Amino acid sequence: MGIAASAAAMAQTAPGGGAPQSELAEITVTAQKREQPLSDVGISVSVISGEQLAATGITEVGDLPKVTSGFTVGKTYTGYPVFSIRGVNFNASQFSAAPAVSTYIDEAPLPYGPMTSGVLYDIERVEVLKGPQGTLFGENATGGSINLIAMKPTAQFSVGVSGDVNSFGGVDDTAFISGPLSDTVRARLAVTTTTGGAWQHGYYLQPDQRNGDAEKAAARFLIEWKPAGTFVVNLNVNGFYDHSQPQLSQLASVNIAVPGRGYPGLEDYPLPTNDRQAEANSLSRYNNRNAQEVLRIDWDIAPHARLTSITDYIDSKFYQPLDADGTADPLIYLTSVGTGTSFSEELRLTGTLIDDRLNYTVGGNLQHDNMMDAHENEDIMHFSTLPPNTTLNAVYNETNRANAGFVDADFRVADWISLTGGVRYTSTRQTMLGCTADTGDGSAAGLFGFVSNQLRAATGQPPTNLFVPGGCITMNDIGAPPSFLPVETNVAQSQDNVSWRGGVDFKTADHDLYYLLASRGFKSGVFPFQDTVLASQTKPVLQEELTSYEAGFKVALGTHRVQLNGAVFYYDYIDKQFFTYQPSPLGPSATIVNIPKSHVVGEDLDVTALPISGLTLHAAVTHIKTRIDNFQGYDIQLAVVDFTGKSFNFAPDWSATADAEYAWSVGKGYSMFVGTHAVLESTTYADLGENAATKIPARTVVDVRVGLEAARWRIALWGRNLGDKYYWDTVAPGGPDDNVKYAGLPRTFGVSAAYRF
């Protein structure tokens, strides 16, 4: 099958400068919740340093595909991110849907995708774990896990500032102050802001329109108290807000669901010809905020045993207004709202036994989430499937409860062979309460009341007058015969599962690693949240299960001047969760279903080299084949589609990154550097079925950088997307009559600078 990469760069001179090195240094990671050399970890891990993040302009978790092969990011029509590792993702457009790729900051979970915005600053490194991570990181990591490691308080006083200015007028600023407050207390405060940078402009009905200004900020305060050598308390208080203008979607295609009833001029609306062209009937701004408090206590209760408690609390609100149809015509205006609190607690004991040959972790955790998903006053001004000026108000309250216990261990049988294994039991309970309602003007109540009476008459039932202004309009289609009366959804489901992993690691005399690993992970069940027409749309969606089989290696060559990492893998996928559509009396209605069986097969390859002093080369490539084994469903036009044999969405067959940098001394403590970076993704689709309307074409994007630095400062000039490649990350329905796409950034130039006092 080929070879697969398991780690991004081993530690080398970071892109963006530094004195040339004669060999690759080792990286220490916490991928298994304890510190280990990366070359000793028998799983696929990509590691990106904070310097690499800065050099490549990565400021959001959604930018990590620039430096991690096999990791792709899409976007739902509501603007929420879709993280995908090796083709495994979940494309639901609701705030409350747990992803298939989990995210943590210093081992504290950020359990829902929108919470990951505004956290990637003042970072020491990022660890991207590929494959199911169910034993140590729990549910919702069937694709993998992203672990952010923040910079920590320092023993000496330190202050630093950095900033970027780009050719669209965007400004990014970050600053930190760190040091001791007493003999036992250290602290660190980091803040970041992003402003300006409007890069989109109108081109047809709104030629003078400009969009894309950022207005967001984040802060993180860390305090470490170490009253004794065996007891350490860490507090992390962080938060962000985002009042930026949402990126406008672009019109991708038009396909009127009910011919003859489309908005006049929509079929002739010109498609944009470049990434900057986008317009809307009206512009808007986010009103998003997120606050997190994490308390971590580490207590060495014995010479080889540590008790760790991690308490995590998050309070979020995401208010995302969006002109959803990709045109300046008055078609649909959607306000997606998600609010919620998440509380989690993990208590674990780690240590070593049998002359440090056995490393163990045993513990448990719980998670309690209370959330609200809403489409507030959704204005459907013109759809061919609905009367003009229909307004809806969908509000659903959800809870998620999860409790788990786990044990994980590595045992070194001999110097050349180790065994690894783990198991976790998890039980969950989820509830959902709410309905789609009339906004109070009676437009939706009148429509749904009319449809209900038609359906009731067809089944021999008398008419109803229960559809009233401001009331629920979701029709009950469950039963024999269905009543089609307004109903509030009130459903619950409880499930449990057992995640596990088992493997063997082989070490050669030269400290090269070869490993075999089998593992199983689960993603929790979910309830679909949409503008629900029928009660059956909110039926429980079962948890999904992924079993992985992987073989890999990590080999150092040429006196540690070359590091080669690779693996091959096969995924057996059961009950894959999938956002799709089903028929309703008013046309296509969104829902989520389980796909019984599917699979993934693939390889990674990763190489880092120092061929000559000062020259650092790195390249990584992932090749996958994703396939649905047997499934039939509908597209948004309600055409029956046979998905059997089709690839997953957001799952390009090929993805690769490459970086080259040369650094040299120019005397008196100064050094210069010049580098280039490239990202490649082959063709993929934003939806199952490989429909041409949802195609995301292949792309290669190239960046360059050049700079000068000394011991305390650094300055660089850079260009990103140097070839001005027009590409997009996703295609989504703008309604039943058109599709929209979200373009990547055009060619951008800028300057960055940093100074440490």
Side-chain angles (χ1 to χ4, degrees), residues 270-304:
L271 301 181
T273 59
N274 62 57
D275 36 26
R276 297 189 63 193
Q277 292 182 344
E279 57 189 18
N281 180 252
S282 62
L283 300 181
S284 57
R285 286 186 178 269
Y286 293 140
N287 188 7
N288 299 340
R289 60 150 178 87
N290 193 76
Q292 181 183 36
E293 299 86 34
V294 182
L295 178 65
R296 175 169 178 152
I297 301 173
D298 291 288
W299 181 20
D300 293 336
I301 59 176
H304 299 284

Side-chain angles (χ1 to χ4, degrees), residues 602-617:
E603 321 82 51
D604 294 332
L605 179 65
D606 180 288
V607 60
T608 303
L610 294 173
I612 61 173
S613 178
L615 178 62
T616 303
L617 305 176

